[in-house]
Amino acid sequence: MSVLDGILEGVREDLEERKRSTSLADLQARVRDLPPTRDPLPAFRAPGVSIIAEVKRKSPSKGALADITDPAALAGQYEQGGAAAISVLTERRRFGGSLADLEAVRARVDVPVLRKDFIVEPYQLWEARAFGADLALLMVVSLEGSLLDDLYGLAVELGLTPLVESHTAGELERAVASDAQVLGINARDLTTLEVDRTVFKELGPRIPADRVRVAESGVAGPGDVAEYRGWGADVVLVGEALVRSGDPVTSVRDFIQAANA
Ligand SMILES: O=C(O)c1ccccc1NCC(=O)[C@H](O)[C@H](O)COP(=O)(O)O
């Protein structure tokens, strides 16, 4: 079983449990009372590089990363540093996240918020919207057949901006065909956890120029953000380097400045 298969197994078990405690109708009622979502595209399409800064407590590749007791406070610091959006890992078992984190972050910041999770069912998109997400991650590797298009369609219907993520040329072909405006290339192979940033160098240019190109994973410092920018990234998503930095405001600022110098 690959790392990703193991994660998905746990995700599906947790999902069944949440479905037992909160019905789809409950989520839908909650969504009806919400204000519209925030549109990330103007910031993502602005000149220079944008940063999506991630709230990430732990990961399958690195174990414990940071003891984040107040995810909203961290997100506020990211925003202060100039992040264009905040990514919140909501998966519980391997990443230590939750929908409560998502809700708390959304209430604290004014920038759009991404639900970063392993979304495989419509119910999770309703959850994303109900708990405040403006964007939702759709990973091509785990969405076979028409599921990618079905979930993409529902996300758009709910006002969410899908971030459609690929790691291989074949996945990217499907992602581009989905009409998604925001396309991510993850440098991390989720089946082996190996990170190779040059995957973006190779695949990034295959993303049509009118779409937003997001480089994900593997940033250790400002130089890596600058390199992604040089390879054509409009947006860079950073997790570990920010949660470990000790000074998130300055780190986000440095990342933006280095890439836009
Ligand atoms: O981070 C992991 O180890 C991981 C393992 C398996 C599936 C997903 C994983 N991470 C999710 C992400 O894509 C990253 O959190 C995100 O791109 C930021 O990466 P980084 O800056 O390298 O922390």
Side-chain angles (χ1 to χ4, degrees):
M1 185 188 281
S2 76
V3 177
L4 180 61
D5 290 339
I7 294 172
L8 287 171
E9 197 173 272
V11 163
R12 289 199 167 94
E13 283 172 18
D14 283 356
L15 178 54
E16 289 314 311
E17 203 170 309
R18 294 199 302 280
K19 281 183 185 171
R20 279 194 287 277
S21 64
T22 307
S23 71
L24 180 59
D26 286 345
L27 290 176
Q28 289 171 333
R30 198 175 153 142
V31 166
R32 268 197 293 279
D33 295 331
L34 289 177
T37 50
R38 299 169 186 160
D39 182 2
L41 291 179
F44 287 177
R45 290 197 163 123
V49 82
S50 298
I51 297 290
I52 302 178
E54 187 155 276
V55 176
K56 182 176 187 181
R57 289 192 177 86
K58 58 179 186 170
S59 74
S61 51
K62 299 285 176 72
L65 296 172
D67 184 19
I68 303 169
T69 52
D70 188 346
L74 176 61
Q77 290 178 303
Y78 287 158
E79 182 177 42
Q80 205 186 325
I86 310 296
S87 166
V88 181
L89 268 159
T90 54
E91 198 277 339
R92 180 182 68 87
R93 297 186 188 203
R94 316 291 178 115
F95 296 89
S98 68
L99 288 166
D101 287 351
L102 178 65
E103 192 172 33
V105 166
R106 182 51 158 71
R108 177 71 65 96
V109 299
D110 291 323
V111 293
V113 178
L114 165 71
R115 179 183 189 187
K116 200 147 199 297
D117 207 318
F118 300 81
I119 294 179
V120 289
E121 285 194 21
Y123 181 93
Q124 293 164 288
L125 288 173
W126 284 98
E127 280 183 326
R129 182 71 176 98
F131 285 84
D134 303 287
L135 302 101
L137 181 72
L138 296 178
M139 296 183 324
V140 176
V141 66
S142 54
L143 301 174
E144 285 175 2
S146 62
L147 194 51
L148 175 61
D149 287 335
D150 294 348
L151 292 178
Y152 176 82
L154 176 62
V156 171
E157 216 176 285
L158 292 175
L160 297 164
T161 300
L163 163 52
V164 180
E165 174 185 301
S166 309
H167 178 72
T168 65
E171 288 168 20
L172 182 58
E173 255 178 54
R174 293 184 59 214
V176 170
S178 77
D179 271 352
Q181 293 305 299
V182 184
L183 294 164
I185 305 293
N186 200 335
R188 182 174 286 110
D189 181 335
L190 304 189
T191 59
T192 62
L193 301 187
E194 196 179 306
V195 176
D196 176 3
R197 289 189 305 99
T198 65
V199 172
F200 182 85
K201 184 183 183 186
E202 190 203 328
L203 298 183
R206 301 190 200 184
I207 298 176
D210 61 337
R211 318 275 188 101
V212 175
R213 296 169 173 167
V214 184
E216 302 174 47
S217 303
V219 167
D224 295 333
V225 179
E227 193 163 52
Y228 271 141
R229 177 65 179 160
W231 294 336
D234 302 304
V235 180
V236 179
L237 192 154
V238 188
E240 180 182 345
L242 288 176
V243 299
R244 283 193 197 268
S245 78
D247 184 353
V249 179
T250 306
S251 296
V252 174
R253 261 188 211 137
D254 287 351
F255 286 3
I256 295 169
Q257 271 168 14
N260 295 334

